[in-house]
């Protein structure tokens, strides 16, 4: 059928005030099948025979029925067509084996009566076009998304306004009924609520069917899946906190996060509040110093929507001298921390021992000076009266001694000369003592 001719004829009907009585009946039939048209003849003033003609939109004659006052009909029809009527005025015309050129308006007309119209459409010129699936946006976790299945019918003429109904499959489940999914009446739109990260892995397909008896169904759409904005999740750094470095070493810390469509990274020294760098997942410093000790934070932010998470790491920078000690010790397989601790303890003990030794030396010198002043001279006559000549040589060689009570009395500040005993020293012994004293003093 020529669609342009049909449109022109419809305009002529309107201009000549030949309106079809509403509603215009729509008839859909598959190709090569019989199409059944139905009209309602007006038998209100049936005082004499009334003739009703069935014509095509181009005014070509198709069939005729005449009603008599007793409501009995007679018919006249083109070869191959069939027309019937009942006493209520229902007129039925059957068009066999329809083809595309049979589609269009059919009119029941009679002088002085309103037009009754049927519109014939042919199904099966082709099945509905393969549907396409679209989504209204790229959703973020927790949001909703609306999927739309779109197709068009190939029924002719194309102005049929034939509606389509749709069916969905989600991971091979037909029209899932959980509260997560909801549909419009024709199911052309599917709303997915409370989006999860895992929804990005789901596969959606749909089909379109002509919403009419004997309507055709389209082929299945291509697989469709939508992206989901998520993250940052699993934000972490590749070092263990605290991260211990030594002055002069390289600091290199990598930050990672699970994000879609992606993440930007910002490194912040929390201790100082300084932003070190941004848009780089790696914190890299060529040579660290002890002032870089502190708490560092990696902030990951999603590039698709404003959401961020952070991961912290404590950095400790040791001074280089301790590191040198540890380096040497580590060659012997020892624990550096333990050795450093031992070294500190040993240093403290050395200071204590040194202080103690100095105190003893000063005390000894003081004791020598006091004893020197108190020493008494023993005359040779007294010696001869007390001891024999054999013992004299022994006393000449006896060294200067002080008993324990002497020392105790001197330390406590007591002076009891009666309890102090001295042994005379000969010139040679005193000289040796004085030389020893001088040597200690020089040291």
């Amino acid at each position: 059928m020529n669609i342009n001719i049909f449109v022109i004829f419809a305009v002529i009907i309107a201009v000549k005030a030949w309106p079809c009585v509403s509603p215009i009946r729509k008839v859909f039939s598959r190709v090569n099948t019989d199409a059944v048209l139905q009209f309602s003849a007006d038998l209100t003033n049936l005082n004499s025979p009334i003739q009703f003609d069935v014509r095509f939109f181009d005014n070509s004659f198709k069939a005729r029925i005449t009603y008599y006052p007793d409501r009995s009909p007679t018919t006249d029809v083109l070869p191959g067509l069939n027309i019937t009527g009942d006493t209520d005025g229902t007129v039925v015309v059957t068009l066999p084996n329809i083809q595309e050129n049979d589609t269009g308006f059919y009119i029941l007309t009679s002088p002085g009566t309103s037009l009754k119209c049927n519109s014939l459409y042919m199904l099966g010129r082709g099945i509905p076009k393969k549907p396409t699936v679209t989504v209204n946006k790229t959703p973020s976790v927790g949001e909703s998304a609306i999927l739309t299945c779109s197709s068009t019918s190939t029924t002719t003429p194309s102005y049929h306004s034939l509606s389509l109904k749709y069916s969905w499959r989600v991971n091979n489940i037909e029209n899932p009924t959980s509260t997560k999914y909801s549909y419009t009446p024709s199911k052309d739109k599917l709303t997915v609520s409370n989006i999860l990260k895992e929804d990005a892995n789901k596969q959606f397909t749909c089909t379109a069917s002509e919403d009419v008896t004997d309507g055709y169904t389209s082929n299945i759409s291509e697989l469709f899946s939508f992206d989901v904005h998520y993250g940052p999740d699993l934000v972490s750094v590749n070092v263990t906190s605290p991260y211990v470095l030594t002055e002069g070493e390289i600091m290199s810390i990598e930050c990672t996060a699970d994000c879609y469509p992606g993440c930007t990274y910002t490194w912040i020294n929390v201790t100082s509040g300084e932003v070190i760098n941004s848009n780089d997942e790696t914190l890299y410093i060529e040579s660290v110093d002890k002032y870089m000790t502190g708490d560092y934070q990696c902030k990951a932010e999603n590039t698709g929507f404003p959401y961020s998470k952070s991961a912290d790491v404590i950095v400790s920078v040791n001074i280089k001298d301790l590191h040198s000690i540890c380096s040497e010790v580590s060659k012997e397989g020892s624990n550096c921390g333990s050795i450093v601790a031992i070294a500190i303890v040993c240093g403290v003990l050395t200071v204590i021992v040194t202080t103690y030794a100095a105190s003893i030396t000063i005390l000894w010198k003081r004791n020598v000076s006091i004893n020197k002043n108190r020493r008494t001279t023993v005359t040779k006559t007294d010696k001869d009266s007390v001891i024999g000549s054999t013992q004299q040589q022994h006393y000449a060689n006896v060294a200067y001694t002080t008993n324990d009570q002497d020392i105790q009395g001197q330390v406590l500040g007591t002076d009891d000369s009666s309890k102090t005993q001295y042994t005379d020293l000969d010139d040679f012994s005193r000289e040796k003592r004085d030389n020893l004293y001088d040597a200690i003093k020089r040291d």
Side-chain angles (χ1 to χ4, degrees):
M1 182 197 70
N2 190 316
I3 296 177
N4 293 330
I5 295 176
F6 178 84
V7 173
I8 292 172
F9 179 69
V11 171
I12 293 174
I13 292 177
V15 171
K16 290 187 176 183
W18 293 342
C20 294
V21 176
S22 181
I24 298 175
R25 186 170 180 266
K26 294 181 178 182
V27 179
F28 295 91
S29 295
R30 292 191 176 192
V31 66
N32 298 323
T33 62
D34 294 346
V36 178
L37 311 178
Q38 182 174 306
F39 304 92
S40 178
D42 185 1
L43 304 180
T44 304
N45 298 313
L46 191 57
N47 298 320
S48 60
I50 299 178
Q51 178 179 295
F52 296 92
D53 288 346
V54 177
R55 294 181 178 274
F56 197 34
F57 74 93
D58 60 1
N59 205 32
S60 60
F61 176 81
K62 296 296 181 180
R64 177 176 294 147
I65 186 170
T66 302
Y67 275 96
Y68 296 93
D70 63 357
R71 294 191 173 227
S72 61
T74 60
T75 61
D76 182 17
V77 67
L78 291 178
L81 273 66
N82 185 44
I83 185 171
T84 62
D86 60 19
T87 56
D88 293 330
T90 300
V91 178
V92 176
V93 177
T94 302
L95 304 175
N97 195 31
I98 68 165
Q99 302 298 316
E100 185 175 358
N101 57 5
D102 294 320
T103 60
F105 277 112
Y106 288 82
I107 304 165
L108 180 71
T109 179
S110 178
T113 63
S114 299
L115 301 177
K116 306 293 180 64
C117 301
N118 276 204
S119 183
L120 176 61
Y121 300 94
M122 185 190 74
L123 302 169
R125 182 182 181 188
I127 62 176
K129 291 183 178 179
K130 188 174 184 177
T132 58
V133 180
T134 57
V135 66
N136 64 323
K137 65 178 181 179
T138 300
S140 300
V141 170
E143 294 184 338
S144 298
I146 301 175
L147 279 66
T148 301
C149 184
S150 301
S151 177
T152 55
S153 173
T154 57
T155 293
T156 56
S158 60
Y159 54 80
H160 54 76
S161 300
L162 178 63
S163 62
L164 297 173
K165 59 183 179 181
Y166 296 84
S167 179
W168 291 88
R169 294 186 75 86
V170 182
N171 285 352
N172 290 324
I173 300 176
E174 186 171 1
N175 297 322
T177 57
S178 73
T179 55
K180 186 179 183 68
Y181 304 102
S182 57
Y183 310 88
T184 54
S186 65
K187 288 188 170 64
D188 63 323
K189 296 184 184 299
L190 165 61
T191 300
V192 183
S193 303
N194 192 24
I195 298 292
L196 302 175
K197 175 181 175 181
E198 294 74 19
D199 289 327
N201 299 322
K202 292 180 178 177
Q203 295 182 332
F204 298 81
T205 59
C206 69
T207 56
S209 300
E210 295 170 322
D211 191 14
V212 66
T213 302
D214 292 334
Y216 286 94
T217 299
S218 71
N219 292 324
I220 300 174
S221 68
E222 298 291 340
L223 292 175
F224 179 83
S225 59
F226 56 84
D227 295 325
V228 176
H229 288 170
Y230 63 84
D233 297 328
L234 306 175
V235 182
S236 63
V237 294
N238 66 335
V239 298
T240 302
S241 182
Y243 180 36
V244 181
L245 296 169
T246 301
E247 286 185 312
E249 288 187 338
I250 295 174
M251 180 193 295
S252 180
I253 310 175
E254 183 179 3
C255 183
T256 58
D258 186 17
C259 306
Y260 186 86
C263 271
T264 58
Y265 298 88
T266 301
W267 281 95
I268 303 170
N269 186 329
V270 179
T271 304
S272 66
E274 177 188 4
V275 176
I276 302 174
N277 63 32
S278 59
N279 296 323
D280 191 347
E281 64 270 21
T282 301
L283 173 61
Y284 183 86
I285 298 177
E286 184 70 28
S287 178
V288 298
D289 57 47
K290 61 184 178 182
Y291 301 105
M292 294 179 181
T293 295
D295 186 5
Y296 290 78
Q297 182 183 84
C298 167
K299 179 181 178 182
E301 183 172 7
N302 196 297
T303 58
F305 62 103
Y307 185 68
S308 63
K309 283 185 179 179
S310 301
D312 289 10
V313 58
I314 296 175
V315 175
S316 177
V317 180
N318 291 331
I319 61 175
K320 191 170 185 179
D321 290 344
L322 287 180
H323 178 64
S324 300
I325 295 172
C326 291
S327 298
E328 294 177 5
V329 172
S330 63
K331 294 178 182 179
E332 303 299 327
S334 300
N335 181 280
C336 178
S338 300
I339 295 300
V340 171
I342 292 172
I344 294 174
V345 172
C346 290
V348 173
L349 292 176
T350 300
V351 171
I352 294 173
V353 171
T354 301
T355 304
Y356 178 75
S359 300
I360 293 299
T361 301
I362 293 172
L363 184 60
W364 182 84
K365 291 179 180 179
R366 179 182 177 186
N367 186 49
V368 169
S369 177
I370 294 173
N371 290 337
K372 183 176 181 181
N373 294 331
R374 292 180 176 180
R375 188 178 59 208
T376 59
T377 304
V378 180
T379 63
K380 186 177 183 302
T381 305
D382 294 333
K383 289 179 182 180
D384 290 339
S385 63
V386 177
I387 59 175
S389 57
T390 307
Q391 294 176 325
Q392 184 175 357
Q393 184 63 33
H394 170 73
Y395 282 106
N397 296 325
V398 172
Y400 170 80
T401 62
T402 305
N403 61 28
D404 292 339
Q405 293 179 345
D406 295 337
I407 296 175
Q408 181 179 6
Q410 293 167 8
V411 172
L412 296 177
T414 61
D415 187 9
D416 189 355
S417 58
S418 64
K419 295 181 180 180
T420 305
Q421 299 178 359
Y422 296 93
T423 302
D424 193 15
L425 301 175
D426 58 9
D427 294 338
F428 177 75
S429 296
R430 287 195 296 271
E431 182 180 356
K432 290 177 63 178
R433 183 201 63 192
D434 293 340
N435 290 341
L436 176 61
Y437 175 77
D438 291 338
I440 293 175
K441 184 177 182 181
R442 285 194 303 273
D443 293 339

